[in-house]
Amino acid sequence: MTDTDAIDLASMLCSRLCHDMLSPVGALSNGLELLAGEKDPEMRQRCFELLEQSAQISADKLKFFRLAYGAAGGFGDQVDVAEARAVIDALARDAKRVAVNWALAESRLSKPAVKVLLNFAHMGIEALVRGGTIDIGAEVRDGATEIVVRAAGARIAFDETIGAALEGNLSKDKLSSRTAPAHLLCLLADHAGGGLQYRQTPDALVLGAVLPNG
């Protein structure tokens, strides 16, 4: 990756963060405006509830971005998967009608593996536009971390360009803030000597990764 490519990717990821934060932060602003002019006690209480909900969603998204794209976890090579699990459970609650099932054989995973797991789970949640179930599994076997995320539900919504970016088959001119996270995962997997793949059907999306350790 050239310096220009790195700058472009960083810019796209920042754009993605801003896009995803716009809705909950905008709701906070609107809620404060409504609260300032509202006199009815019941309506004021409702405003407070909406503000609390928007603030929680904003915090959940920021925690996700910190782990999924940032240098969270200090300088160690391993990250406690309980932290990643808490973030995904929160995003699933915010999305509503999404149930998460976990099958994690390890208590700690490498930073690249955690980033892949988080982004896979996030893609799965976004694909479940009508709700559904996400099964998330990860284990270390034969010197490599294997990750599988399966989202199942009615009318799976998954952009094929994201899948192409995951597998490294998306041309540079088609990279955008929407496909940047998948491109980042492809780079992480390639750097580790591993690979990513996906499979989509009308009612399921399966995302898989194998990342050699060390």
Side-chain angles (χ1 to χ4, degrees):
M1 174 183 280
T2 66
D3 289 345
T4 300
D5 291 338
I7 292 171
D8 287 344
L9 179 58
S11 298
M12 291 175 190
L13 289 173
C14 287
S15 294
R16 176 60 186 265
L17 187 154
C18 292
H19 174 273
D20 285 8
M21 291 300 299
L22 184 61
S23 178
V25 173
L28 280 171
S29 178
N30 293 337
L32 288 172
E33 288 183 10
L34 289 173
L35 187 63
E38 186 58 64
K39 303 301 182 183
D40 181 78
E42 283 192 25
M43 290 303 298
R44 286 181 62 84
Q45 180 59 37
R46 179 58 178 159
C47 285
F48 279 122
E49 291 173 358
L50 292 174
L51 285 170
E52 183 179 10
Q53 182 182 53
S54 297
Q56 185 60 59
I57 292 174
S58 298
D60 292 339
K61 287 182 177 291
L62 286 174
K63 289 177 183 177
F64 168 80
F65 287 122
R66 172 178 168 269
L67 276 177
Y69 305 136
F75 296 101
D77 293 328
Q78 301 285 308
V79 177
D80 190 340
V81 296
E83 188 173 0
R85 178 171 177 167
V87 169
I88 292 305
D89 284 340
L91 291 181
R93 285 195 301 271
D94 295 339
K96 310 247 190 304
R97 298 187 301 168
V98 175
V100 183
N101 300 316
W102 293 91
L104 301 177
E106 316 298 330
S107 61
R108 301 181 71 81
L109 292 172
S110 68
K111 283 186 179 180
V114 168
K115 292 182 185 299
V116 170
L117 184 148
L118 283 166
N119 277 280
F120 274 5
H122 189 237
M123 291 173 187
I125 291 172
E126 289 195 322
L128 295 174
V129 292
R130 293 187 177 180
T133 302
I134 293 184
D135 299 307
I136 303 173
E139 67 174 334
V140 176
R141 184 170 59 179
D142 298 328
T145 301
E146 299 180 2
I147 300 168
V148 176
V149 172
R150 182 179 186 273
R155 196 179 174 184
I156 293 292
F158 185 71
D159 191 332
E160 290 184 355
T161 59
I162 296 176
L166 283 174
E167 297 181 335
N169 298 323
L170 190 67
S171 60
K172 186 184 300 185
D173 62 308
K174 291 187 178 180
L175 284 176
S176 65
S177 60
R178 182 171 178 77
T179 56
H183 182 58
L184 173 64
L185 297 193
C186 181
L187 294 175
L188 286 173
D190 186 62
H191 181 71
L196 311 173
Q197 59 182 347
Y198 82 102
R199 184 166 183 248
Q200 181 182 359
T201 65
D203 58 2
L205 170 67
V206 179
L207 303 162
V210 177
L211 304 175
N213 298 326

